[in-house]
Amino acid sequence: LLNDEEKIKMNKKVTIREAVNYVINSKGEKHTLLGIGPMSENFLRASLEISKEKDFPLMYIASRNQVDAYKFGGGYVFNSDQKLFKEKIEEIAQEINYDNVYYLCRDHGGPWQRDKERADHLPEDEAMAIAKESYKEDILNGFDLLHIDPTKDPDEYCKVVDIDVVFNRTIELIEYCEQVRKEYGIEREIAYEVGTEETSGGLTSMDRYENFIQRIESYTQEHDLPMPIFIVGQTGTLTRLTKNVGNFSYENSLELSAISTKYGVGLKEHNGDYLSEAKLLAHLPLNITAMNVAPAFGTIETMALLELIEVEKQFAKFNMIKEPSNLENVIKYESIHSMKWKKWLTDEVDMSDLDNLDEQTTLQITELCGHYTYSKPKVALEINKLYENLASIKIDGKRFVIEKLKEEM
């Protein structure tokens, strides 16, 4: 456990606004902050360890599907709501004597941001009410940054929501969150991120991007609201399956960062998964303040588990493991029947016979969607059995997975 002096140090952490301002205004070294999607308990441990070892701050960017109030269905990340998510991070941080800074961030908060809300075609007033209640739980559980993203609309599915509608919903949600903060006597600042990574319409043109910032700045100044610290810009990244199929644009990135810096706001890039190391290196002189990475970490963890299954199989052949786990079959079955892959794979999959897909498609779906299944009882049971079997022959499977995740970060 941390001693009193260490606890005081952590409680006096640098705020996320201070961190972002430092990155924006730094005249020396260039930095790009890393926002990471929390996929599992292994991932939380790996991220805290690497943050401590490499001395960089963490931004946990939890979507509503990953972490949310139980009354809205909870989240697939170890079945957590905001309270359990926060407590699990604190527990691991104390266990490893974590001495750095992490921030709890809401990624894509807002109406219709849970898959079920869109599928149910909730009316706007109901979707907005749920979004507000979800933000309230974020605030009461110590979240540092809230992404205000009202760009989903089931009646405009696969289309672009009108920019005036986006602006009005954004302002309404920020005003609500500030009202909650004051109502509950929360003195610490809550920071905000606005915009989205949509690849058509919206904020993709430079004029629209700057105009949106100007409108937000004007309104927040006039109504004594905090100016957001991030605005999401489309740098050309686009994640599909296990690749970045976008066309990362140096020109767009440079222009977007110049615009956001002019207003003292950080440029946030989404979909940073699977970018080459050369393009990651370019983020620094391009002044991209922060980038989000999420599904890549889930894929890395699932691939590591699949590698361990092959090791287990080999030692089972030698009778050194008597009862091998059934993880391979279980995680493949649950990944396929989760249907989480539908937004990426449609024509490629015969939905009339999901139990008899070819081996390549099955593996692709598992690598893509395995992380959605870790907390399902059958999968969790078999993962633990895999670890126990490997431990019996002196292989630390959990540590292997954690080190793979650290390497990717």
Side-chain angles (χ1 to χ4, degrees):
L1 295 178
L2 300 177
N3 61 39
D4 289 341
E5 184 178 344
E6 289 169 326
K7 287 179 181 177
I8 290 171
K9 181 180 178 182
M10 285 188 70
N11 288 336
K12 292 183 177 178
K13 69 182 183 182
V14 174
T15 68
I16 193 167
R17 182 180 291 277
E18 289 170 336
V20 170
N21 285 341
Y22 176 82
V23 172
I24 293 173
N25 298 312
S26 176
K27 303 300 182 184
E29 292 184 18
K30 297 293 184 181
H31 307 274
T32 297
L33 296 167
L34 178 62
I36 52 178
M39 299 298 182
S40 66
E41 187 174 337
N42 277 342
F43 181 75
L44 296 183
R45 184 175 296 276
S47 57
L48 289 165
E49 286 184 9
I50 196 72
S51 169
K52 180 180 179 180
E53 292 165 13
K54 298 293 184 181
D55 191 23
F56 68 92
L58 291 170
M59 293 192 299
Y60 288 115
I61 51 162
S63 72
R64 289 190 56 212
N65 287 319
Q66 290 170 333
V67 176
D68 205 357
Y70 288 131
K71 58 185 150 186
F72 304 133
Y76 70 78
V77 178
F78 49 85
N79 299 316
S80 60
D81 65 351
Q82 291 91 331
K83 182 174 183 290
L84 178 59
F85 178 62
K86 177 185 178 183
E87 288 174 348
K88 180 57 68 174
I89 295 173
E90 290 174 346
E91 176 188 317
I92 297 171
Q94 289 192 6
E95 185 181 327
I96 69 169
N97 291 319
Y98 182 74
D99 58 358
N100 213 309
V101 178
Y102 62 80
Y103 303 105
L104 303 182
C105 310
R106 169 59 68 203
D107 188 34
H108 294 293
W112 300 289
Q113 288 290 355
R114 285 186 71 100
D115 293 342
K116 188 177 186 303
E117 293 171 7
R118 286 201 302 283
D120 291 346
H121 290 264
L122 296 183
E124 180 175 1
D125 57 348
E126 186 177 348
M128 285 289 281
I130 290 174
K132 290 176 180 179
E133 191 64 24
S134 179
Y135 280 130
K136 180 178 178 180
E137 292 298 320
D138 294 343
I139 294 167
L140 297 183
N141 284 284
F143 275 51
D144 301 282
L145 173 73
L146 302 178
H147 182 193
I148 308 295
D149 182 9
T151 60
K152 297 290 185 187
D153 193 321
D155 295 327
E156 297 287 339
Y157 201 64
C158 295
K159 298 179 182 179
V160 177
V161 178
D162 182 81
I163 195 66
D164 290 331
V165 174
V166 172
F167 174 80
N168 291 332
R169 289 176 182 166
T170 296
I171 291 301
E172 180 180 344
L173 290 169
I174 291 177
E175 288 181 327
Y176 171 80
C177 291
E178 284 300 293
Q179 175 188 325
V180 170
R181 184 183 65 80
K182 293 172 183 176
E183 180 183 339
Y184 284 85
I186 298 171
E187 295 184 3
R188 63 180 179 80
E189 179 188 14
I190 294 166
Y192 298 97
E193 171 181 344
V194 297
T196 189
E197 71 268 26
E198 61 196 25
T199 54
S200 63
L203 304 182
T204 52
S205 75
M206 297 303 158
D207 288 344
R208 280 174 172 265
Y209 186 80
E210 182 162 14
N211 180 256
F212 190 75
I213 298 177
Q214 289 171 338
R215 291 178 69 181
I216 292 288
E217 181 185 56
S218 176
Y219 192 95
T220 54
Q221 287 181 351
E222 184 179 345
H223 295 83
D224 194 26
L225 293 168
M227 180 69 176
I229 65 169
F230 287 126
I231 182 162
V232 182
Q234 179 47 254
T235 63
T237 57
L238 179 63
T239 303
R240 287 292 180 267
L241 301 178
T242 55
K243 295 179 181 178
N244 201 305
V245 299
N247 182 23
F248 178 75
S249 172
Y250 288 72
E251 293 80 6
N252 275 17
S253 300
L254 200 59
E255 195 168 351
L256 288 168
S257 65
I259 292 171
S260 60
T261 299
K262 183 163 65 172
Y263 296 92
V265 180
L267 167 62
K268 173 77 94 70
E269 173 188 73
H270 285 205
N271 290 327
D273 311 69
Y274 312 113
L275 289 175
S276 69
E277 292 185 4
K279 288 177 180 175
L280 292 177
L281 194 65
H283 280 53
L284 306 179
L286 289 171
N287 296 317
I288 297 173
T289 313
M291 64 178 287
N292 284 0
V293 177
F297 297 124
T299 298
I300 289 295
E301 183 163 359
T302 299
M303 291 174 69
L305 288 170
L306 293 173
E307 286 186 74
L308 290 175
I309 289 168
E310 291 304 312
V311 174
E312 182 189 39
K313 285 180 183 178
Q314 294 301 317
F315 284 97
K317 288 180 182 178
F318 304 146
N319 289 320
M320 295 174 67
I321 291 177
K322 303 298 183 184
E323 295 183 19
S325 71
N326 192 32
L327 179 58
E328 182 174 14
N329 291 328
V330 171
I331 197 170
K332 286 180 177 178
Y333 177 88
E334 294 290 353
S335 295
I336 290 167
H337 288 270
S338 73
M339 306 303 286
K340 296 291 188 180
W341 43 269
K342 280 182 66 177
K343 58 184 174 181
W344 294 295
L345 291 165
T346 51
D347 298 336
E348 301 90 335
V349 178
D350 180 4
M351 295 193 191
S352 67
D353 193 9
L354 293 180
D355 292 326
N356 290 293
L357 299 177
D358 64 82
E359 188 175 336
Q360 183 178 353
T361 303
T362 298
L363 179 60
Q364 186 177 43
I365 289 175
T366 303
E367 290 179 348
L368 187 66
C369 300
H371 62 276
Y372 293 111
T373 75
Y374 297 158
S375 294
K376 290 184 175 294
K378 290 181 179 179
V379 177
L381 183 68
E382 296 301 328
I383 289 175
N384 288 333
K385 188 170 184 179
L386 171 69
Y387 289 155
E388 289 169 4
N389 283 341
L390 294 174
S392 72
I393 54 172
K394 310 304 180 187
I395 292 177
D396 189 340
K398 183 183 280 282
R399 176 48 52 183
F400 174 78
V401 172
I402 289 169
E403 292 300 328
K404 284 282 189 179
L405 289 167
K406 289 168 68 174
E407 182 181 316
E408 181 72 6
M409 270 180 274

